[in-house]
Amino acid sequence: SSGINAEYGYFSKERVSPDNHNVACILTLPPYQRKGYGKFLIQFSYELSKRDCQVGTPEKPLSDLGKLSYRSYWSWILLDLLKDLHGTVSIKELSNRTSITEDDIISTLQMLNIVKYWKGQHIICVTPKQVEEHLKSENYRKPLLTVQQDALKWAQKGKRGRPSKKQKSND
């Protein structure tokens, strides 16, 4: 049966990961694959990483469908951010804003052919028109399902799932 309480998938998150994994496992049940639930869970994991002020990457190796989903999600997030930026931006700044690791950002921008390696560093080379063209592609458009960031409640890392006093008073 479908409905608000149906199970579409699963993900697990290590609260503390020495390898900066923001997700240990994501699974979308077969009837719901290719319908946006996987990317929703990916976005959810990154929203939690942002709340913890951490950058992260999924645990590897990824399945073929996992690679496609992550690459598509990373591309959409980065292109969406780049379309609103004017001037220069560093890979580190993109990482800080998105909680995506610098390595994942570089590999995604390389796939999009919008980053060059020059004098020992990666330089983003893209025009607004190129960003818009990429965003029109079916592969990089906004996911069908997105996280409502203002509805997300999350206890900071190290709090063992209990909200802080400040959080309790705001609820």
Side-chain angles (χ1 to χ4, degrees), residues 24-37:
C25 174
I26 287 183
L27 170 84
T28 303
L29 297 172
Y32 305 108
Q33 291 176 354
R34 317 255 337 135
K35 295 183 179 177
Y37 295 104

Side-chain angles (χ1 to χ4, degrees), residues 55-143:
V55 297
T57 190
E59 190 172 319
K60 312 284 190 314
L62 293 171
S63 67
D64 290 343
L65 191 53
K67 285 179 196 172
L68 286 172
S69 296
Y70 269 94
R71 183 71 69 199
S72 178
Y73 172 77
W74 291 331
S75 297
W76 166 66
I77 286 294
L78 294 170
L79 290 166
D80 194 57
L81 191 57
L82 289 170
K83 83 174 170 97
D84 296 326
L85 292 175
H86 303 288
T88 61
V89 64
S90 69
I91 303 293
K92 185 169 186 62
E93 185 179 346
L94 288 176
S95 179
N96 289 338
R97 287 182 171 202
T98 62
S99 288
I100 301 169
T101 64
E102 291 182 36
D103 287 343
D104 291 336
I105 290 172
I106 290 167
S107 68
T108 301
L109 295 179
Q110 286 172 333
M111 185 218 41
L112 293 169
N113 201 27
I114 60 175
V115 70
K116 307 290 183 221
Y117 191 72
W118 187 66
K119 293 188 178 183
Q121 62 183 350
H122 289 91
I123 308 294
I124 300 169
C125 302
V126 65
T127 65
K129 184 177 179 177
Q130 288 172 306
V131 171
E132 286 302 320
E133 288 299 314
H134 278 304
L135 284 170
K136 287 179 187 174
S137 164
E138 188 175 311
N139 295 327
Y140 312 126
R141 67 179 178 216
K142 182 177 180 175

